[in-house]
Amino acid sequence: MDTKLSPAVLSELATIVGAGGLQTDPEKICDYGHDEFSLRDIARLPEAVLKPATTAEVSAILKLASREGIPVTPRGGATGLCGGCVPAPGGIVLSLERMNRVVEIDAANQMAVVEAGVTLLEFYKAVEDKGFAFPPHPGDESAMIGGLIATNAGGSRAVKYGVIRNYVRGLEVVLPRGDVVALGGKIVKNSSGYNLLQLMIGSEGTLGVITRATIQLLPGIKHMRSLVIPYETLEAAIDTVPVLLQKNLSPLAVEFVDRDVIRITEALLRKRWPCSSGTTDLLVILDAATEAELDRLSEEVAAVCLEKGAIDVFSADTPAKQNEVLQIRSKIYEAIKSETVEILDISLPRAEIPAHVKRVWEIGREFGLWLPTFGHAADGNVHTHIMKARPEGAAMIPVPESEWRPKFEAVRAAIYEDGRRRGGVVSGEHGIGLVKRDYLARSTDPVLIGLMRGLKAVFDPDGILNPGKIF
Ligand SMILES: Cc1cc2nc3c(=O)[nH]c(=O)nc-3n(C[C@H](O)[C@H](O)[C@H](O)COP(=O)(O)OP(=O)(O)OC[C@H]3O[C@@H](n4cnc5c(N)ncnc54)[C@H](O)[C@@H]3O)c2cc1C
């Protein structure tokens, strides 16, 4: 393929980022061709990886790239699940990993100012060291602030504390032709013209490169407790959720989990999930200012669940038990990752979950594929996993590629179609990237797609920034 990265352009780029900031050796940059989406069919080796250390360097790179028509794909922790940071043909990966400073924790305004390459893990530590909390908890702590904002990440605590969008107050963004703009700031309210800050959040690196963010913090979370509640049926479990929410018990998270994957994760971690009766568990996580308040909330949740047909209520009321339950929940992905082809991320009206999950099970039977499905019961975000194995006790027995591959597309199409019919959307938190763009087009009003394309053309007239994503 023709490359626009002539020796002269490469030397200009090297001057911008300095010696350590440019890599072109295929062996060193092969990891920059993919994210956590399992199929390497979509991976693509970049022509070069650039690791700027300052906003001025990002700006100079983009100026040069737009002048030369070189595609640029921003990259954070590459924990994305839909190929969002896979580079375009002939393109550069712009990795924010060296812009990793926590600039300020401003106690008076209760806000943090951080560079885009700070990981979630580092961010939690910096914030908690100062006695604050950042409640959203997307599952992979090696994700970076820029990537989390660019995908508007969510996580299980969204029901009480919202998603990343609800915390971003200000952004420094480099536009595709190199202009550096400040959107919002250390302000809570803002009705000053179109909200370009919110437009940038969730734009998946297609409108601008996020270099710095101002993020709202909350007072530290004091006490947490998990309740695991088994039910005979999925419907009974899901029917409980609106009642819990109406009672104003404000759970931090309400998840529904799948027993097959729990068994496999128990075996991997050599830990025990507290229940084995019934078919579906709700995992309810509570937080409160005092242990006494937690006791009160736990009792009320237990009473509601038992009234709605729960078999039992198991309370993880010691740190050790709490740890065991949360570790099993958070390691499910690791336990089944080797046999997962794709994790879907459909977001539905909450009450549609049982009928949708039943339809997924039906599709699994029709096609003879294992489709474990679980997720965020209180906000309607359902993660169906399309697997290339079948469960047998605590083991996964691989299915030959010749068996799952021909069915894969039809299975996804059938599941997305059911989500659409029920008023759902293709992605609740992972974004569209490369992998879901056909389904976004099929399930979205063409007028809206036209508006989105129009916005893309205004921000990125040369079409260099993460081309081929979303649309
Ligand atoms: C085990 C596991 C659990 C997960 N759990 C959750 C979960 O609970 N909730 C959830 O929402 N997601 C979850 N994810 C998905 C993933 O962690 C999120 O999508 C995360 O926000 C991606 O951040 P990242 O830094 O890894 O971004 P990347 O994967 O590097 O990039 C994602 C997108 O953002 C763009 N981008 C990255 N940095 C910038 C920047 N500075 N400026 C502009 N654009 C940029 C990229 O071009 C790409 O389009 C999970 C993933 C894994 C592997």
Side-chain angles (χ1 to χ4, degrees):
M1 185 211 312
D2 275 357
T3 174
K4 292 177 175 159
L5 287 178
S6 63
V9 168
L10 280 172
S11 133
E12 235 184 296
L13 288 169
T15 310
I16 294 170
V17 289
L22 168 68
Q23 285 180 329
T24 52
D25 177 350
E27 274 189 18
K28 294 210 173 106
I29 61 176
C30 59
D31 263 354
Y32 289 82
H34 62 84
D35 62 4
E36 280 287 321
F37 180 69
S38 83
L39 296 178
R40 289 296 178 259
D41 324 19
I42 66 159
R44 183 181 289 113
L45 196 66
E47 296 282 307
V49 174
L50 287 161
K51 300 178 183 176
T54 64
T55 301
E57 290 179 11
V58 174
S59 165
I61 292 166
L62 289 179
K63 265 185 201 143
L64 189 155
S66 59
R67 185 191 81 204
E68 299 291 329
I70 300 167
V72 177
T73 296
R75 177 183 165 107
T79 66
L81 293 166
C82 52
C85 65
V86 170
I92 294 172
V93 163
L94 182 68
S95 171
L96 279 298
E97 67 199 82
R98 293 212 296 185
M99 296 183 63
N100 57 2
R101 279 186 320 132
V102 175
V103 178
E104 183 189 8
I105 305 285
D106 174 348
N109 284 306
Q110 237 172 271
M111 291 190 198
V113 180
V114 291
E115 290 185 331
V118 171
T119 65
L120 193 55
L121 183 69
E122 291 157 354
F123 187 57
Y124 286 137
K125 185 167 177 340
V127 163
E128 284 161 16
D129 279 353
K130 298 281 181 195
F132 291 111
F134 176 63
H137 199 261
D140 193 323
E141 294 184 350
S142 51
M144 293 178 184
I145 292 295
L148 292 158
I149 295 172
T151 53
N152 185 28
S156 57
R157 298 177 182 179
V159 56
K160 179 163 185 176
Y161 287 112
V163 297
I164 297 283
R165 184 182 295 290
N166 306 111
Y167 293 82
V168 179
R169 298 284 179 247
L171 286 180
E172 178 187 79
V173 175
V174 185
L175 298 177
R177 286 187 173 168
D179 300 300
V180 181
V181 294
L183 306 172
K186 285 183 182 171
I187 42 178
V188 176
K189 294 169 83 176
N190 187 353
S191 298
S192 317
Y194 293 156
N195 198 328
L196 301 180
L197 174 79
Q198 291 297 330
L199 178 61
M200 202 54 68
I201 301 167
S203 64
E204 300 189 43
T206 63
L207 301 182
V209 178
I210 297 159
T211 44
R212 191 177 273 218
T214 303
I215 298 175
Q216 181 75 63
L217 306 175
L218 295 187
I221 293 177
K222 293 269 188 299
H223 301 277
M224 272 173 45
R225 186 175 299 167
S226 298
L227 305 177
V228 179
I229 306 152
Y231 287 83
E232 290 297 356
T233 65
L234 174 72
E235 286 95 334
I238 301 293
D239 277 355
T240 307
V241 177
V243 187
L244 285 177
L245 299 180
Q246 281 154 23
K247 292 249 177 204
N248 207 12
L249 297 169
S250 296
L252 178 70
V254 185
E255 304 277 290
F256 69 105
V257 291
D258 171 288
R259 276 293 165 70
D260 286 329
V261 297
I262 291 289
R263 265 194 295 274
I264 292 162
T265 317
E266 279 180 311
L268 172 85
L269 299 179
R270 297 177 192 279
K271 291 188 188 298
R272 297 283 306 159
W273 187 251
C275 332
S276 55
S277 53
T279 66
T280 306
D281 297 315
L282 282 186
L283 167 62
V284 178
I285 308 178
L286 300 165
D287 67 330
T290 61
E291 281 290 335
E293 176 64 1
L294 263 189
D295 289 343
R296 186 190 71 76
L297 288 172
S298 307
E299 276 164 28
E300 281 204 49
V301 168
V304 169
C305 293
L306 292 169
E307 165 97 27
K308 294 296 287 179
I311 300 169
D312 202 350
V313 175
F314 173 86
S315 170
D317 48 8
T318 64
K321 285 191 213 162
Q322 165 93 358
N323 237 347
E324 188 151 83
V325 165
L326 293 185
Q327 261 199 18
I328 293 177
R329 170 64 188 94
S330 70
K331 294 285 179 192
I332 292 177
Y333 174 72
E334 202 172 305
I336 63 171
K337 178 179 168 177
S338 62
E339 302 300 335
T340 301
V341 184
E342 184 175 356
I343 306 176
L344 305 187
D345 174 41
I346 291 174
S347 181
L348 297 155
R350 196 174 52 216
E352 295 291 335
I353 292 179
H356 176 67
V357 176
K358 290 227 154 120
R359 176 67 192 128
V360 172
W361 290 343
E362 215 172 82
I363 294 166
R365 281 193 297 275
E366 277 166 27
F367 285 87
L369 286 188
W370 177 36
L371 304 172
T373 297
F374 45 93
H376 314 307
D379 61 34
N381 192 189
V382 173
H383 297 307
T384 293
H385 294 57
I386 303 179
M387 304 297 291
K388 52 181 178 175
R390 59 187 166 74
E392 214 174 84
M396 294 186 290
I397 312 297
V399 167
E401 182 161 356
S402 57
E403 212 175 288
W404 65 264
R405 177 76 79 164
K407 300 172 182 169
F408 173 50
E409 208 43 67
V411 165
R412 301 164 98 195
I415 298 172
Y416 279 127
E417 176 50 22
D418 187 68
R420 194 195 58 75
R421 274 192 327 106
R422 298 182 190 284
V425 293
V426 172
S427 173
E429 56 183 14
H430 296 164
I432 303 299
L434 268 180
V435 171
K436 299 191 193 115
R437 50 183 191 175
D438 291 351
Y439 291 98
L440 180 77
R442 279 186 222 174
S443 60
T444 308
D445 183 342
V447 175
L448 298 182
I449 296 283
L451 283 173
M452 290 189 220
R453 283 185 183 283
L455 287 166
K456 167 74 176 160
V458 168
F459 275 81
D460 184 15
D462 309 307
I464 58 149
L465 203 55
N466 212 3
K469 307 298 160 51
I470 305 182
F471 313 111

